[in-house]
Amino acid sequence: MSAVLQKSAKAEKGALKGAIRIEDVVKIYDPEGAAVMAVDHCSLDIPAGEICMIVGPSGCGKTTLLNAIAGFHSISSGKIFLDDELLCGPEKPMAQPGSDRIVVFQNGALFPWKSNLDNVAFGPLMQGKLGKKEIYDKARSMMADAGLSGTEHNFPGEVSSGLRRRVEIVRALMNEPKVLLFDEPYRALDSLTKSVMHEALLEIYYKNKVTIFFITHDLEEAIFLGHRLVIMSSRPCKPKKIIDVDIPHPRDYSVLTSTRYRQLMDETIELVHEEAKKAFSAGEKEG
Ligand SMILES: Nc1ncnc2c1ncn2[C@@H]1O[C@H](COP(=O)(O)OP(=O)(O)OP(=O)(O)O)[C@@H](O)[C@H]1O
Ligand SMILES: [Mg+2]
């Protein structure tokens, strides 16, 4: 566990859930045919409440790993645990998708015909475990915490994309997940908009310390947000290096001008570039 997280985990002992343990996972697509190995004996321990940033070249197997955790597809061997509960393994190659692990889709996942508030309340209403009033009270309060007061009765299309993305995260959090899974959510955004998204995500995270598994190609984003960076090898992926981001949370954008941030960029950029070059030349050979 990173030293930074260890400190905050101590303070909140017992409160945090959502530790992910990936043990020797292999994923081979189409084993009887083209046999594409996407994940190669990958092991990774993510403590509860950590923001774990997964960085690696295009096509190395990052999404494959996320999908295996989410229960969207099977693994070929190995095991994945969530808080010591086996999600998938030899007897059960595919995890059951569940509200304890939610993939935050950044585009198009909100119902455009429902208000933001109704979108946020939707999951728990469908589950039917809580009463309607309780659900709406909780939805309003979580929206307020995420800076969404005043947008409750707007439709998603009536608010800025930044606010819409907050609504998407709050909607996911309403289901009280242990883990949020993000797959390059801010890929298409310009750097200014991204910086606003990053601060908003951290703001929401500080109030809801779930585990975050976050895939990105963007090193700046990875260092700014993460407790740790997992730099993946080119395909088939497995961690090549794990780096503690020992910049204390809470963070804001002033971090980007700090000496430690620069040092971490220098330490990681070469590693990432090396793997990207390997992936590129492998692609050229295959193509
Ligand atoms: N359903 C599938 N069947 C066969 N091969 C697949 C399938 N899905 C992914 N692959 C292959 O597995 C490898 C890893 O894919 P994956 O999408 O996990 O990579 P990635 O690291 O997420 O890439 P990117 O950064 O481009 O999103 C790639 O070579 C991809 O072509
Ligand atoms: Mg991907």
Side-chain angles (χ1 to χ4, degrees), residues 129-147:
K129 287 186 199 155
L130 299 174
K132 201 170 169 184
K133 177 170 180 334
E134 208 175 331
I135 292 170
Y136 275 96
D137 286 349
K138 183 175 167 190
R140 280 195 191 87
S141 144
M142 288 194 65
M143 287 182 77
D145 276 353

Side-chain angles (χ1 to χ4, degrees), residues 1 94 98 140 160 168 218 221 240 267 274 283:
M1 185 191 300
M94 190 150 157
R140 280 195 191 87
S160 69
E168 276 155 355
D218 179 345
E221 171 170 87
K240 177 177 168 155
E267 272 173 41
E274 213 173 277

Side-chain angles (χ1 to χ4, degrees), residues 37-234:
M37 193 189 221
V39 180
D40 178 18
H41 297 280
C42 174
S43 294
L44 180 63
D45 260 316
I46 306 176
E50 177 172 279
I51 304 177
C52 183
M53 305 298 291
I54 311 293
V55 184
S58 195
C60 76
K62 304 177 295 297
T63 299
T64 300
L65 206 51
L66 181 145
N67 284 339
I69 298 168
F72 295 163
H73 65 53
S74 65
I75 55 175
S76 308
S77 65
K79 293 175 184 167
I80 302 180
F81 295 87
L82 176 62
D83 288 332
D84 294 327
E85 178 202 330
L86 184 74
L87 292 177
C88 53
E91 309 289 309
K92 184 190 167 195
M94 190 150 157
Q96 173 89 16
S99 59
D100 52 1
R101 288 149 284 137
I102 297 189
V103 181
V104 183
F105 295 103
Q106 299 293 328
N107 278 313
L110 295 175
F111 300 119
W113 62 89
K114 286 184 184 288
S115 70
N116 289 332
L117 181 64
D118 286 338
N119 265 291
V120 168
F122 182 77
L125 281 174
M126 286 296 103
Q127 283 174 2
K129 287 186 199 155
L130 299 174
K132 201 170 169 184
K133 177 170 180 334
E134 208 175 331
I135 292 170
Y136 275 96
D137 286 349
K138 183 175 167 190
R140 280 195 191 87
S141 144
M142 288 194 65
M143 287 182 77
D145 276 353
L148 289 165
S149 292
T151 68
E152 292 89 342
H153 299 293
N154 289 118
F155 292 103
E158 292 175 338
V159 297
S160 69
S161 67
L163 291 179
R164 217 158 38 236
R165 280 161 201 241
R166 284 182 191 231
V167 176
E168 276 155 355
I169 297 172
V170 174
R171 183 168 80 153
L173 288 170
M174 274 294 282
N175 297 302
E176 299 188 352
K178 296 177 180 173
V179 180
L180 291 182
L181 302 155
F182 291 85
D183 195 350
E184 299 193 62
Y186 308 134
R187 184 184 197 147
L189 301 179
D190 64 89
S191 61
L192 268 181
T193 312
K194 254 190 197 182
S195 66
V196 176
M197 296 300 161
H198 293 156
E199 284 188 331
L201 175 59
L202 286 182
E203 224 177 89
I204 296 173
Y205 166 79
Y206 295 139
K207 290 180 180 144
N208 306 269
K209 291 233 172 94
V210 293
T211 307
I212 294 184
F213 182 95
F214 192 116
I215 296 174
T216 181
H217 280 110
D218 179 345
L219 257 184
E220 187 171 289
E221 171 170 87
I223 298 173
F224 178 66
L225 292 175
H227 290 102
R228 283 193 307 166
L229 308 190
V230 178
I231 298 179
M232 293 292 188
S233 64
S234 53

